[in-house]
Amino acid sequence: MKNNIKYTIFSALIATLSLQSCKDSYFDKLADNPNQVTIPTLPSLLATSTAKAGLNNYNVASIIVPYVQYTANPSASAAGDTYQSIDFSTTWDALYFAMADANEMKKLAISQGSSEYKGVADVLIAYNLIMVNDLWGNAPFSQAFNITNFTPKYDSGQEVYNQSMALVDEAIVELAKTNATIKLTPANDLIYGASASTERANWLKFAYALKARLLNKVSKTSAYNATAVLSAIDNSFTSNADDAAMGSFVTRNFWASVAIANASQSLGGWLSEQLIDQLNGTTYGLFDPRIAKITDKTINNVYIGTVNGAGNRGTGGNTTKDECYISINSPWTSPTSPIFIATYAELKFIEAEAALTTNRPRAYAAYLAAIGANMDKFQVAATDKAIYLADPRVSVGEASLTKDLIFKEKYVATYLNPEAWNDARRYDYKYKDFTLPVNAVLTDFIRRLDYPQGERSKNGSNVPVDVPRTTRLWWDQ
């Protein structure tokens, strides 16, 4: 733990100073006397914490995108593509810094009697903690914010999951209250700050979305409760307008920076053959119009991806755009696109999965609604959307709906989202034609990360002994 979260609020907030939408009195005071750090306010902590939720979504997604074969490195045997051990200390620290900021917001909210800020703080702590749990399993939390303990113990993966759920449940209680004396400030909320009249309600829906995710994640265990999943969904997003997304950046959307660097001959941002072949008709015999909203055709006027672990197959070298890569023209990855944290489309896919065995009409309606919502979010033309949805390979009817179809379509909807790795593991990587990367250093698909070197150096006595990266987390048995 980075000094066991003994992080000064100044160091945590300073990275947010240049965000255009964070113009509150706290930052004005810093500008007047930059050598004196005042006690942060609830609005300033809200700005920092919501910004970091978007940043950490990107940080974690950057780790997992080669594992689910959204991206592929154009160089053969690249570390991420081939499941090599990589030190992700920076991401670990970023996740705990974010939780520390949100925890400070929670303490201040309690002292000032603000149920709205307390509820949002719970949501944001839970969101970052869930990502830690998904990447590493066992992790410090119960002792993580005790500033007198520099070597906090590790809670088990299941304990961390339970703590995440408790935070979400607490958030639901707080955000259901309508009489907060101190209400959220839209100007400082980088996720739901569009309107003061809907801000609290949107955070409540987001809390229920996280609950649905958590409940659905244990689908392979005896604890799975489809009724509880559906109940959470009933209280969550009702349209694309409810999506949790962070869209305020110092410069531009983080993925757009990857795409721009690629255009400048960087090696990042190339898209995997697995994703491209699903979309271009190779895998399923059905052209998906979302491909044009994700990437651009190559210089050869075709859509073709890079094979994970094999590198670029073209003849022009890694700087020739003869394979597809992340596009700055995409609604997901343009300079002004938001970072999508949780979406209505994802929730409808969770609904389809949860209802599949008990309520096929509901499952089928949710499945079609999920595809349609995702296409709308990708700004697919109405005629192209209608053609795709009418195809008999998509509109299969209630009786023929399968989990395979749900996971196939959800794979596209969770493009560049950390949640995609949870789905891949729950599904045992059974996507059609999904194979181990070429030159993989493991004999099976990756299931977890090694603990980072930075954490070993600070809390080595408590860091669990690493197990093989093919070892499954407790919910992935």
Side-chain angles (χ1 to χ4, degrees):
M1 301 292 299
K2 187 94 166 181
N3 288 335
N4 187 48
I5 315 302
K6 191 178 181 181
Y7 308 138
T8 65
I9 297 303
F10 176 71
S11 65
L13 290 174
I14 197 68
T16 317
L17 293 179
S18 56
L19 285 167
Q20 293 112 346
S21 58
C22 306
K23 299 177 180 178
D24 56 70
S25 59
Y26 173 71
F27 294 136
D28 292 338
K29 290 177 182 178
L30 280 181
D32 292 339
N33 186 355
N35 296 317
Q36 180 179 351
V37 180
T38 60
I39 296 174
T41 63
L42 285 171
S44 62
L45 287 166
L46 177 63
T48 300
S49 297
T50 49
K52 288 187 175 182
L55 177 59
N56 283 339
N57 176 286
Y58 166 76
N59 287 335
V60 175
S62 297
I63 292 173
I64 67 94
V65 285
Y67 302 159
V68 297
Q69 296 185 14
Y70 286 146
T71 65
N73 198 298
S75 296
S77 300
D81 284 43
T82 57
Y83 302 159
Q84 295 176 41
S85 181
I86 304 173
D87 181 14
F88 291 114
S89 292
T90 300
T91 298
W92 174 281
D93 287 347
L95 289 163
Y96 275 95
F97 275 130
M99 283 190 279
D101 290 338
N103 191 58
E104 290 301 316
M105 179 165 64
K106 180 176 179 176
K107 290 192 294 184
L108 191 57
I110 292 171
S111 70
Q112 297 185 11
S114 175
S115 56
E116 292 192 5
Y117 275 98
K118 181 184 176 186
V120 169
D122 280 329
V123 170
L124 293 170
I125 296 169
Y127 179 64
N128 288 284
L129 182 61
I130 289 166
M131 290 192 286
V132 171
N133 196 207
D134 292 342
L135 297 178
W136 289 283
N138 298 1
F141 184 72
S142 60
Q143 296 180 357
F145 302 102
N146 178 355
I147 62 173
T148 65
N149 179 3
F150 296 119
T151 54
K153 74 180 183 72
Y154 273 59
D155 303 321
S156 72
Q158 190 163 1
E159 287 172 338
V160 176
Y161 172 90
N162 291 339
Q163 290 159 342
S164 301
M165 185 67 80
L167 285 164
V168 169
D169 284 338
E170 183 177 77
I172 288 170
V173 171
E174 296 300 318
L175 291 167
K177 298 175 182 177
T178 59
N179 59 346
T181 54
I182 301 175
K183 296 186 179 296
L184 297 167
T185 51
N188 299 86
D189 182 352
L190 307 188
I191 293 176
Y192 281 125
S195 171
S197 64
T198 59
E199 202 172 5
R200 179 199 58 80
N202 281 333
W203 278 102
L204 179 57
K205 291 177 183 179
F206 184 20
Y208 274 111
L210 288 183
K211 183 165 187 172
R213 270 187 183 174
L214 284 167
L215 290 168
N216 204 52
K217 190 185 302 179
V218 298
S219 62
K220 296 169 73 173
T221 75
S222 60
Y224 182 66
N225 185 334
T227 301
V229 175
L230 294 173
S231 177
I233 288 168
D234 287 340
N235 290 284
S236 189
F237 303 153
T238 58
S239 73
N240 283 342
D242 296 333
D243 290 357
M246 199 288 288
S248 295
F249 310 100
V250 174
T251 304
R252 65 180 69 88
N253 176 293
F254 311 119
W255 292 107
S257 294
V258 173
I260 290 171
N262 185 293
S264 301
Q265 313 306 323
S266 166
L267 298 185
W270 296 82
L271 294 176
S272 172
E273 177 190 50
Q274 178 66 29
L275 174 66
I276 297 300
D277 281 1
Q278 171 165 337
L279 297 169
N280 69 12
T282 300
T283 303
Y284 294 100
L286 175 63
F287 181 82
D288 190 325
R290 284 171 289 190
I291 193 170
K293 301 298 183 177
I294 289 175
T295 190
D296 305 309
K297 288 184 177 180
T298 69
I299 57 171
N300 300 314
N301 200 36
V302 296
Y303 293 113
I304 185 171
T306 302
V307 177
N308 289 80
N312 190 295
R313 294 168 291 177
T315 59
N318 292 340
T319 59
T320 300
K321 307 308 179 188
D322 51 9
E323 293 181 350
C324 292
Y325 54 96
I326 289 172
S327 173
I328 59 171
N329 301 313
S330 168
W332 245 244
T333 53
S334 76
T336 58
S337 298
I339 295 291
F340 294 108
I341 298 171
T343 67
Y344 171 66
E346 178 199 340
L347 265 288
K348 297 306 283 186
F349 281 119
I350 293 175
E351 179 181 355
E353 183 183 348
L356 186 61
T357 59
T358 59
N359 189 338
R360 279 192 165 269
R362 178 174 181 174
Y364 188 62
Y367 157 78
L368 292 177
I371 299 170
N374 185 242
M375 287 195 161
D376 289 343
K377 205 72 177 181
F378 269 118
Q379 301 174 19
V380 171
T383 52
D384 293 334
K385 171 186 170 184
I387 291 170
Y388 186 85
L389 286 172
D391 190 284
R393 288 163 291 191
V394 177
S395 291
V396 297
E398 294 172 8
S400 298
L401 181 63
T402 63
K403 183 177 287 189
D404 292 334
L405 279 171
I406 294 170
F407 273 85
K408 169 218 168 192
E409 290 290 345
K410 192 180 179 187
Y411 178 77
V412 182
T414 52
Y415 172 61
L416 302 184
N417 192 297
E419 194 64 17
W421 195 26
N422 296 329
D423 282 343
R425 288 177 287 181
R426 286 194 307 115
Y427 191 46
D428 291 322
Y429 290 90
K430 291 190 296 187
Y431 302 103
K432 187 176 180 182
D433 296 341
F434 201 105
T435 59
L436 280 173
V438 176
N439 301 315
V441 301
L442 304 178
T443 57
D444 201 353
F445 295 109
I446 189 168
R447 300 281 180 167
R448 66 192 304 147
L449 301 183
D450 292 337
Y451 286 98
Q453 290 301 316
E455 174 66 355
R456 292 178 186 281
S457 68
K458 302 178 189 76
N459 194 18
S461 61
N462 288 317
V463 176
V465 175
D466 268 331
V467 296
R469 292 184 293 284
T470 52
T471 304
R472 300 170 184 236
L473 300 180
W474 71 271
W475 50 263
D476 182 30
Q477 300 301 313

